[in-house]
Amino acid sequence: MYDVTRDSDVDTKATKLSARNVQVYYGTTHAIKDVDVDIEDKTVTAFIGPSGCGKSTFLRCLNRMNDTIDVCRVEGTIQLDGEDIYDERVDPVQLRAKVGMVFQKPNPFPKSIYDNIAYGPRIHGLAKNKAELDEIVEKSLRRGAIWDEVKDRLDAPGTGLSGGQQQRLCIARAVATEPEVLLMDEPCSALDPIATAQVEELIDELRQNYSVVIVTHSMQQAARVSQKTAFFHLGNLVEFGETGQIFTNPEDPRTESYITGRIG
Amino acid sequence: MTDATVHQPSASASKHAHSLLAADARTRKRNAAERRFRMYGIAAISVGLIFLVILLFTIIRNGIPAFTQTYITVEVELPEAKLDKKGNRDIADLKKVSTFGYAPLIDNAIFTKVQELGIETPFEKPKKMRSLVSASAAAQLRYMVLENPALIGTTVEFEVLGSSRVDGYMKGRVTRDSVARDKNIDAEHFDIVDAMAQDGSLARIFNWAFITGADASESRPEQAGIGVSMIGSFFMMLVVLGLSLPLGVAASIYLEEFAPKNRLTDLIEVNISNLAAVPSIVFGILGLAVFIQFMHLPQSAPLVGGLVLTLMTLPTIIISTRASLKAVPPSIRDAALGIGASKMQSVFHHVLPLAAPGILTGTIIGLAQALGETAPLLLIGMVGYIASNVPDGIAGGFLDPNSSMPAQIYEWSKRADPAYYERAWGGIIVLLLFLMTMNIIAIILRRRFERRW
Ligand SMILES: Nc1ncnc2c1ncn2[C@@H]1O[C@H](COP(=O)(O)OP(=O)(O)OP(=O)(O)O)[C@@H](O)[C@H]1O
Ligand SMILES: [Mg+2]
């Protein structure tokens, strides 16, 4: 039913992020219920599920972006390379430099395209001089599949780009800080098929070095880019396994009805 | 879908709906309501505009005369025999000659001029000319001589400040009838004024002294100016800006971006909103109790005035700063945090620049409010004090007793002489010019820094 191209090279990877018994509450709303997930290094993991099931919420737990929401409470343990990221000694700022994020809605800074990309490397001291910074900017924009469109107007404001271009700019910005894990919340929802293909290519390339977690509403996309897929439903992790397995032979009836379009 | 279910649209539509070319009853009613609402709006704005025009017209008509002043230009002889009996130009000796020594010189000069011009007058003594000139004229002449003793023994051309009656006559405020019972001046004096005005030696010229000068005593309105109280206002604004901008912005950033949302911060928030609504005179009495009676800061000092106005301006600045911080989309904060910026970096690198135009506008509007505020100054002694000296130096500017522009205007409007009434209106024009300038700066800053996102 879905064209699953890559599979079965996943068993040997080390675990990058592991979540155990994760509960998330927004005030009294129980948004994530008892989720266990292992996200492997050098792997693309897709989160799928109907709208409002908690994909974004869970994703935001992985780099503690939920800390910024006052009513949000996270329980359970999430470990990055074996270290608990919710330990009180952990500085979330340091964590987020390692676990980057691309948001559902493109949100470039109202600054020049160049400064959008250069901001992360600057605050993390990744470039020693202007030449190095220029290099990082160019490399990141190329990886974001947007270099050719903006190379002549790096001084133009990033907010002046089209929606899809803005999203690729945000991807380039996230990549520029060289995170170890990249969290992407529906990165292609504002993109045309060509840009989508470029981003998917980028994700595939990133997989060589990083682990990528992508939330998507497109089954085809999940099937194309991911090696592992997690299906969420009403705050529960219903099924988690190899993408090929989930799409061709799901164990849970809810998964099956979702991917065949009966719930959602 | 099959062909059978597709109807001819016109056939079915004509059954259910009117023609689009004529509005149905419901639409007509809705349109009428809309038109009525527009009329209300236009009416409200027109009423406002009419009042504004009347206000501006009255202010300008009453205030403009304050910007010209009548001067009499005459040749004044400065005889050595009167001013420097010893003849050695020793400044200490020169100072011994008081204004009483100088006043007759001016009288003589004017009397000579009157005779030169062949003006018919019943007055036989030069002393009678004194009604024409300001009581301050002799002091000004003396000052000029002490500055430059070489003038003694020569004849100098001197612009004598006319008395307020003469000035009023030139401006149409005083008439021959109205001075019938005035013991300061007689109607015959105005014959001289008329003739001299014809000759050109008496004329209304632009009144710099009004803009740069100090207040004067009750009896010499012609000498009073708003300049020194302008300096008082300036130093107060320095205090207000220097304290309320950093305090207000820091407080707002903390409350908006860092403070936990709990009972305490809710309470603080409510209190700030309440403070903004507290009548300004209450801040005045607070300032009197705290700054003057408890901390023993000098009375009537712009420093104290500035502190009181800071208390008053802070809530305004905090409220407008918080509003502009709130208006920055949260996605910008997320974007910064998402690539590993700290909270503070995200605020200072991204949020604050976007909020800056709003903060600046709020600050300038707060300052403009403070600039025009009179009531709290009543209580700390800045009203009623006659600001007659230009403060020397920065410390003096903050600590020497002074007035402020609105307090000065209030003071003038209380005085009996109609010449002061004119000056009060003139002062209002100066104050309005300042306020307008500040508001224009606010608009320009807003335009310049405003960015889209
Ligand atoms: N800031 C918040 N405050 C309160 N409740 C929230 C908040 N954010 C999300 N929720 C609730 O948590 C649940 C999960 O939301 P979440 O945004 O994670 O869904 P999602 O799976 O990402 O949906 P979508 O596919 O539409 O983006 C929803 O019921 C939502 O109402
Ligand atoms: Mg979401």
Side-chain angles (χ1 to χ4, degrees), chain B residues 5 20 69 97 180 204-205 211 238 274 302 315 317 322 327 351 439-440:
Chain B
T5 61
L20 276 178
Q69 192 69 37
V97 182
R204 272 169 73 184
I205 57 178
I211 294 168
L238 278 188
N274 282 342
I317 293 190
R322 290 188 67 178
V351 178
N439 282 327
I440 289 171

Side-chain angles (χ1 to χ4, degrees), chain A residues 60 65 68 70 93 96-97 99-101 103 105 107-111 119-120 123-124 159 173-174 177, chain B residues 259-261 331-343 345-346 349-350 353-354 451-453:
Chain A
R60 290 164 63 90
M65 279 302 281
T68 61
D70 281 320
V93 172
R96 288 182 205 132
V99 184
M101 185 154 199
F103 295 84
K105 222 180 80 197
N107 53 357
F109 299 128
K111 295 176 188 283
Y119 181 69
I123 58 172
H124 297 304
T159 38
R173 181 178 66 189
T177 51
Chain B
K261 302 270 173 287
S331 64
I332 298 289
R333 297 178 178 83
D334 282 350
L337 296 178
I339 52 175
S342 69
K343 186 94 198 175
Q345 283 170 328
S346 102
H349 295 165
H350 302 289
L354 287 174
R451 278 191 275 193
R452 292 174 308 118
W453 50 77

Side-chain angles (χ1 to χ4, degrees), chain A residues 26 31 49-58 69 71 104 185-186 217:
Chain A
Y26 288 112
S51 188
C53 67
K55 306 178 296 292
S56 300
T57 301
F58 186 68
I69 300 173
V71 293
Q104 196 162 351
D185 195 347
E186 295 182 44
H217 279 294

Side-chain angles (χ1 to χ4, degrees), chain B residues 234-296:
Chain B
F234 172 75
F235 278 102
M236 284 201 314
M237 288 305 111
L238 278 188
V239 175
V240 175
L241 184 66
L243 289 177
S244 63
L245 182 62
L247 281 180
V249 172
S252 324
I253 291 179
Y254 178 73
L255 285 174
E256 198 56 48
E257 306 284 339
F258 294 95
K261 302 270 173 287
N262 55 28
R263 281 268 172 77
L264 184 67
T265 46
D266 283 350
L267 193 72
I268 291 174
E269 195 163 340
V270 170
N271 273 312
I272 288 172
S273 312
N274 282 342
L275 275 184
V278 168
S280 54
I281 199 151
V282 175
F283 288 109
I285 211 156
L286 180 74
L288 174 67
V290 175
F291 298 128
I292 295 180
Q293 288 169 352
F294 178 70
M295 290 165 70
H296 296 291

